[in-house]
Amino acid sequence: MNGELEISIGKLEEAEKCKESANILFKKMMYNEAIELYSKAIDLNPNIAVYYGNRSLAYLKTECFGYALNDATKAVELDKNYIKGYYRRAAAYMSLGKFKQALRDFEAVTKARPNDKDAKSKYLECNKIIKKIAFEKAISVTDKSISDIIDFESICIEDEYKGPSLLNEKDVSLNFMKELMETFKNLGKLHRKYAYKILLDAKELFKKQPSLVDITIPTNERFTVCGDIHGQYYDLYNIFQLNGLPSPENPYLFNGDFVDRGSFSVECIFTLLGFKLLYPNHFFMSRGNHESETMNQMYGFQDEVKTKYSSEMADLFTEVYNWLPLAHCINNKILVMHGGLFSRDGVLLEEIRNIDRNRQPPEEGLMCELLWSDPQLSPGRAPSKRGIGIQFGPDVTKEFLRTNNLDYIIRSHEVKHLGYEMAHDDKCITVFSAPNYCDTMGNKGAYINLDGKTLTPSFKTYEAVPHPDIKPMAYAHNLLSMLS
């Protein structure tokens, strides 16, 4: 008995040491390493709410919202009075756009602590979001889109405007794009009339494309695939410095998550849409999970557009994003999508091509999984660490490639230390192009060069470049920062 008691006490002490060490790593923003130690503490002593609560916060930092939700729920089950557990779970719900569930947790805290001003503030802020969404839904124009009601012709160009101009309001030119990029680099702004024109023209262009777009790379040409940019305009500018501006001889595919988190999302998206209009057959854009209204409400893009332009323009962006293609197939051999593969075998490329995408991303099905899924090391499928989509193993990738006669897939969606990762016997490639993500992660950025003859990926990595002193998440909803 005494021996067993000593072992038990030893485990308790070791668990506490693991937690304390994990806390130190967390403060250093070494979140994955902290998660490992919190997990070890839980293995040693699975009955402490704080261990789950702390790991939940680390999962939130790494965008594993599903895991964060599970841990917070476990923490509350272990200790009904553990207030941080309710906050962590509310943060996970908020991150997934589940505002009503988050409100229930804030309400539980206010009932437990009726005199807690902080709890009351969070409850009121969340309730405000829910009422705002309901109000906007109630007054929304159901029979007309924003693009139908914009009085484009009445917008005047003021004499004092010195930025780039679309001559005679005609199509985008290379000179316009060069001037636009330099204007953005110097914290200038595109006139709202030209901004509206780019959005309206881009929407019409995307509407003509299928949900799966075929791309052909000639044998003697190079093609570049970029991953998430997330509003890091100065790193996007650097990509074009390193790899050359887009052109018919230097085509690009940007694989989703152009906006949110980074505070120069407006500059990123207008640059990318401008090049799409300039080179419609040599510049491609896939939808990411952050090209959605819910994500934009929480992670900054919507308020950035409202600050720099208007609410009306923010709504028009939503319409444009609804028409973005969901995937691209290169030379009939490489499928490129933002997230990953599917919850069932047997999915054919033709099914992807025919997806009705003109909508907000659903919470299940092919469209959802294309935007949200992630690879895992173990075979089979598992619930997503994000709380939406799935995780898929190497056997799932192999079967999908065999079914569709493909060589490999390219996806993005996840921060990688080197900016890229090859998994599933090199048949599942992740590329992430936002270095030092959110100014905290310390990762490199990367892009992929392909040649049309071999389709062998060549990875180019780079460090983050300096940017003006406007922090990431500057436009994000203040409730997210309140919960962190």
Side-chain angles (χ1 to χ4, degrees):
M1 285 289 291
N2 287 341
E4 292 178 6
L5 184 61
E6 287 174 7
I7 294 172
S8 178
I9 292 172
K11 284 187 176 180
L12 294 177
E13 291 176 347
E14 187 179 350
E16 275 297 301
K17 289 179 181 178
C18 287
K19 183 203 75 170
E20 295 301 325
S21 297
N23 288 348
I24 293 170
L25 290 169
F26 183 92
K27 289 176 181 176
K28 294 179 179 178
M29 296 183 288
M30 300 172 67
Y31 303 122
N32 289 318
E33 293 84 351
I35 287 168
E36 289 183 17
L37 282 179
Y38 288 134
S39 299
K40 187 175 180 182
I42 289 168
D43 289 341
L44 290 164
N45 185 3
N47 301 311
I48 304 298
V50 173
Y51 297 171
Y52 294 95
N54 288 5
R55 190 172 69 173
S56 177
L57 184 56
Y59 277 136
L60 285 169
K61 293 293 187 180
T62 56
E63 302 183 18
C64 297
F65 305 128
Y67 288 177
L69 184 62
N70 293 339
D71 271 358
T73 299
K74 181 65 176 178
V76 171
E77 289 173 355
L78 287 169
D79 184 355
K80 301 294 184 187
N81 298 314
Y82 179 54
I83 298 302
K84 286 185 178 179
Y86 293 98
Y87 281 155
R88 304 286 187 262
R89 188 163 68 181
Y93 279 134
M94 293 290 292
S95 298
L96 292 166
K98 298 180 183 295
F99 306 117
K100 290 182 179 179
Q101 292 93 322
L103 186 66
R104 285 201 293 265
D105 280 329
F106 291 133
E107 188 175 23
V109 177
T110 57
K111 286 181 178 178
R113 294 184 176 180
N115 297 320
D116 189 327
K117 292 182 179 179
D118 180 62
K120 186 69 172 177
S121 173
K122 290 179 171 65
Y123 172 81
L124 292 173
E125 197 65 41
C126 186
N127 199 32
K128 191 188 301 182
I129 294 173
I130 293 171
K131 288 182 177 179
K132 181 173 179 285
I133 292 171
F135 175 75
E136 289 176 348
K137 186 176 181 181
I139 65 169
S140 64
V141 178
T142 56
D143 58 340
K144 283 190 175 183
S145 69
I146 295 297
S147 55
D148 292 330
I149 61 177
I150 291 173
D151 188 3
F152 177 77
E153 298 300 330
S154 69
I155 302 175
C156 297
I157 308 295
E158 298 81 3
D159 291 339
E160 58 268 25
Y161 176 69
K162 302 300 181 184
S165 299
L166 294 170
L167 296 177
N168 301 317
E169 298 169 12
K170 292 190 181 296
D171 295 338
V172 170
S173 67
L174 180 57
N175 284 338
F176 172 84
M177 288 307 303
K178 288 179 177 178
E179 188 177 351
L180 180 67
M181 290 179 65
E182 292 305 313
T183 297
F184 286 157
K185 184 182 178 184
N186 295 314
L187 297 177
K189 183 177 171 182
L190 178 65
H191 194 278
R192 67 188 185 282
K193 182 161 189 170
Y194 302 136
Y196 273 121
K197 178 168 175 54
I198 286 175
L199 286 171
L200 293 170
D201 289 351
K203 180 183 175 183
E204 291 306 307
L205 179 58
F206 287 132
K207 282 175 69 173
K208 297 174 184 176
Q209 297 187 307
S211 292
L212 170 62
V213 175
D214 290 299
I215 298 172
T216 300
I217 311 174
T219 300
N220 59 343
E221 288 192 10
R222 184 184 75 171
F223 188 88
T224 300
V225 181
C226 296
D228 301 40
I229 296 298
H230 273 301
Q232 297 184 196
Y233 176 74
Y234 294 84
D235 295 306
L236 173 61
Y237 187 97
N238 187 45
I239 290 173
F240 293 144
Q241 292 285 300
L242 296 171
N243 196 58
L245 287 176
S247 71
E249 297 73 38
N250 192 30
Y252 280 83
L253 164 59
F254 279 82
N255 195 29
D257 281 13
F258 322 117
V259 300
D260 277 340
R261 295 190 179 272
S263 296
F264 303 95
S265 292
V266 163
E267 290 78 6
C268 285
I269 191 61
F270 277 126
T271 299
L272 296 175
L273 291 176
F275 277 119
K276 179 62 184 176
L277 293 173
L278 179 58
Y279 303 120
N281 299 316
H282 299 90
F283 192 90
F284 304 90
M285 297 170 67
S286 287
R287 191 174 189 174
N289 63 301
H290 275 266
E291 278 69 59
S292 79
E293 190 171 20
T294 300
M295 292 292 106
N296 295 165
Q297 285 172 343
M298 293 307 299
Y299 289 97
F301 181 64
Q302 188 178 93
D303 278 350
E304 185 182 340
V305 177
K306 289 178 179 179
T307 299
K308 296 177 179 178
Y309 289 99
S310 66
S311 296
E312 183 182 61
M313 186 176 289
D315 292 338
L316 180 55
F317 266 110
T318 298
E319 292 184 10
V320 174
Y321 290 161
N322 283 351
W323 284 108
L324 282 166
L326 302 177
H328 293 77
C329 191
I330 299 173
N331 285 13
N332 298 313
K333 287 298 179 184
I334 307 168
L335 186 67
V336 187
M337 77 291 278
H338 180 73
L341 296 181
F342 311 104
S343 53
R344 63 175 172 88
D345 287 332
V347 174
L348 301 175
L349 296 185
E350 200 60 24
E351 290 181 72
I352 300 172
R353 196 183 314 278
N354 293 323
I355 291 173
D356 176 14
R357 70 184 187 277
N358 181 26
R359 52 184 168 147
Q360 287 301 290
E363 293 193 5
E364 60 183 12
L366 298 187
M367 180 172 171
C368 167
E369 290 157 1
L370 283 165
L371 300 180
W372 280 96
S373 292
D374 296 291
Q376 64 181 17
L377 293 176
S378 56
R381 296 176 172 90
S384 172
K385 62 188 179 184
R386 300 176 188 269
I388 186 169
I390 66 152
Q391 292 177 196
F392 59 97
D395 54 328
V396 175
T397 298
K398 183 177 181 180
E399 177 60 21
F400 177 79
L401 297 176
R402 185 197 65 78
T403 299
N404 290 284
N405 193 29
L406 297 168
D407 289 348
Y408 58 92
I409 64 172
I410 297 175
R411 39 92 60 184
S412 302
H413 197 37
E414 288 184 286
V415 182
K416 297 299 177 184
H417 182 66
L418 295 177
Y420 71 94
E421 181 180 78
M422 300 184 74
H424 296 182
D425 299 318
D426 296 345
K427 300 299 184 182
C428 177
I429 298 173
T430 298
V431 59
F432 192 86
S433 300
N436 194 26
Y437 180 45
C438 290
D439 285 358
T440 61
M441 299 303 288
N443 61 291
K444 291 183 178 179
Y447 52 84
I448 301 173
N449 288 144
L450 300 168
D451 72 87
K453 183 176 182 180
T454 68
L455 297 180
T456 302
S458 173
F459 302 97
K460 309 297 182 183
T461 64
Y462 48 92
E463 303 284 351
V465 297
H467 63 75
D469 190 21
I470 304 173
K471 303 299 183 187
M473 302 289 280
Y475 298 97
H477 198 284
N478 61 355
L479 190 51
L480 281 182
S481 59
M482 290 166 70
L483 290 167
S484 64

